Amino acid sequence: MVRSMLAAGLVAAAFALPALAQAPAAPPTGAPPGTAMNPALAPHAPRMTVTPPDQLPVAALRLPDGFRAEVFAHGIPGARMMTEGPGGTIFVGTRTIGRVYAVSPNPDGTTRTRIVAQGLAQPNGVAMVGDSLYVMAINRVLRFDGIEARLDNPPAPADLTAAFNLPPDQHHGWKFLTLGPDGRLYTNVGVPCNICEFDRDRFALLVSFNPDGSDRRIEARGIRNSVGMGHHPVTRELWATNNARDWLDNDLPEDSLHRIRRSGEDHGFPYCVGSFADPGAHARRDCAEFDQPAALLGPHTAALGMRFYTGAMFPEAYRNAIFIARRGSWNRERLSGFDVVVAKLDAQGNVTGIEPFMTGWRDDANQRFLGRPVDVHVMRDGSLLVADEQLGAIYRVTYGR
């Protein structure tokens, strides 16, 4: 059932706003000499136009018995990472289109979408601290105070860029942002290359800050490009997804899920991903010296947004499990990912398995995809939101026998 109503005049308003910032140039897509990969492979550009709700593939989506998917919101080109305000507004970051959206509930159960920021350089990272919305773009950190009360007239943001002092590199420079249980903001600093020599105290990091940008702390090194992280609701340990490097092989290396037990751990990039020693690294290291992934998530699946399930709607088997959106491959000759999986944990916090949860976007027979899930968010009622960047939609997953 379609439950979304695009705010009247949204498209017209978009054209009235300042022009979009130009997306940074994509890195060369041709395979380096000596690799076996197909040089015709190239990233899949997301649609930057509104997809009508009757073109959303809701009927194709598959879930375990008892679960149901519906359209929560549509008409949100480039929708990516999500965060929820105290009043129930879902704020949505983007990359290529440079916008931040606000999706608010209507009394009749539909939703209304507004653009609250525009013209930013890949404002992927969004997080709420109290009633303030933090937005992390590649080259700016902005804080919008009291924004939920001013969705039709967003306040001018406080610019915290200098305080956070993050590298402005565009290659893997987009951020994920989350508020930890300790009141600190956690984000990623991606590597400025595919695989190369770099300062391992500056790139391929998970870092945290006080909300004012002070007291920077390295939480983990050697995590190439994490665009999803969260804290275990019981142990408070930090967990993160990671995108492995490209142009080596169809099946190597795999994306991964990492458990950070103490600040400052080293997870191995560029030398290793788990037990896999990368032949492209500039030096050889024993992979046993690094902290190992909690689980492998498949080759080139583009594992992005993840959330621990803390709701009460889903069956008990999902409590404290990790939902992970896998955006899907471009650097693989047969598609992988394009789904939402769930990592089940035992009482000690060890991953016991990775199971499919929401599928149907990937058409294996024709080697095409119907959409690209990029983030998940647990609503206060226990339902799960899933953002589809390709089609600019958010789906809501509920459970009920």
Side-chain angles (χ1 to χ4, degrees), residues 76-222:
I76 319 171
R80 281 178 63 98
M81 277 45 203
M82 299 178 285
T83 190
E84 185 172 358
T89 303
I90 302 299
F91 294 96
V92 187
T94 65
R95 276 189 56 199
T96 308
I97 203 166
R99 296 174 181 166
V100 178
Y101 300 101
V103 180
S104 53
N106 291 321
D108 64 356
T110 61
T111 58
R112 180 184 179 191
T113 297
R114 302 168 174 90
I115 299 170
V116 294
Q118 173 104 332
L120 299 173
Q122 303 191 41
N124 188 76
V126 289
M128 292 297 301
V129 179
D131 66 352
S132 296
L133 171 68
Y134 281 71
V135 175
M136 273 195 176
I138 284 184
N139 58 350
R140 300 182 74 186
V141 181
L142 305 175
R143 189 190 71 222
F144 295 83
D145 296 327
I147 190 170
E148 259 190 306
R150 298 184 57 186
L151 295 178
D152 289 318
N153 182 27
D159 193 325
L160 305 179
T161 306
F164 280 83
N165 191 28
L166 292 165
D169 299 74
Q170 294 184 345
H171 198 159
H172 302 129
W174 51 95
K175 304 293 188 290
F176 186 88
L177 188 62
T178 189
L179 179 66
D182 53 3
R184 295 173 66 87
L185 285 167
Y186 288 73
T187 190
N188 55 294
V189 183
V191 67
C193 59
N194 181 31
I195 183 168
C196 62
E197 295 187 44
F198 59 91
D199 183 346
R200 297 183 82 249
D201 289 326
R202 186 167 171 80
F203 297 102
L205 302 174
L206 305 182
V207 293
S208 70
F209 302 84
N210 288 327
D212 63 1
S214 65
D215 192 28
R216 174 183 181 270
R217 185 172 73 207
I218 294 177
E219 303 295 344
R221 291 178 175 83

Side-chain angles (χ1 to χ4, degrees), residues 11 13 22 24 27-28 31 38 59 72 85 101 104 138 150 184 210 214 229 236 273 296 299 301 316 324 364:
V11 175
Q22 290 297 311
N38 182 350
F72 176 78
Y101 300 101
S104 53
I138 284 184
R150 298 184 57 186
R184 295 173 66 87
N210 288 327
S214 65
M229 65 191 78
R236 296 163 59 111
V273 178
L296 298 177
T301 55
E316 183 64 27
I324 302 168
D364 288 331

